[in-house]
Amino acid sequence: MAIPAAYNPILEVPKMSQAAFNLSHQSQSRAVVELPIEVVAMLKAEARAHRKSIAQVMMDWLEEQADIREATKRLKDLKSGKTKAIPAEEVYARLGI
């Protein structure tokens, strides 16, 4: 999986000459990933700025991407009429809030 240069809500990834990276499994719980120097520098800066590990920054980014995919799918379903929005007042009434 490569971090797409076109869209990245956490990191602004510059276009790089080296688009792919290597992934080799070391154990069941860890893997070694070789990334372009530019990406590593950006990950380090992001980790420092938010006082997180590089692994946590990457996991947060992946989680954000999953959220974006889910929101996009739900919005598409809503626009197509496959699903419908329920007004908050109706939800509150159903829940007795």
Side-chain angles (χ1 to χ4, degrees):
M1 181 201 87
I3 297 174
Y7 179 71
N8 190 330
I10 296 176
L11 305 172
E12 292 181 19
V13 179
K15 293 186 180 186
M16 293 166 272
S17 58
Q18 190 179 21
F21 65 86
N22 299 321
L23 174 66
S24 60
H25 293 280
Q26 298 297 316
S27 71
Q28 290 182 352
S29 63
R30 297 195 182 265
V32 174
V33 178
E34 294 180 15
L35 298 167
I37 288 287
E38 298 93 342
V39 173
V40 173
M42 290 169 23
L43 287 169
K44 284 181 179 180
E46 188 72 16
R48 274 193 305 274
H50 296 282
R51 296 183 179 181
K52 296 180 177 181
S53 69
I54 291 174
Q56 187 62 51
V57 169
M58 293 175 76
M59 291 184 331
D60 289 349
W61 184 84
L62 289 169
E63 185 176 311
E64 181 68 24
Q65 294 304 299
D67 289 346
I68 290 168
R69 281 191 301 276
E70 182 65 24
T72 301
K73 178 188 175 298
R74 288 178 184 235
L75 184 59
K76 180 181 174 185
D77 289 347
L78 184 64
K79 286 181 177 181
S80 72
K82 188 175 179 180
T83 61
K84 68 174 190 162
I86 301 171
E89 295 78 20
E90 186 178 329
V91 174
Y92 298 151
R94 287 183 189 180
L95 296 174
I97 297 176

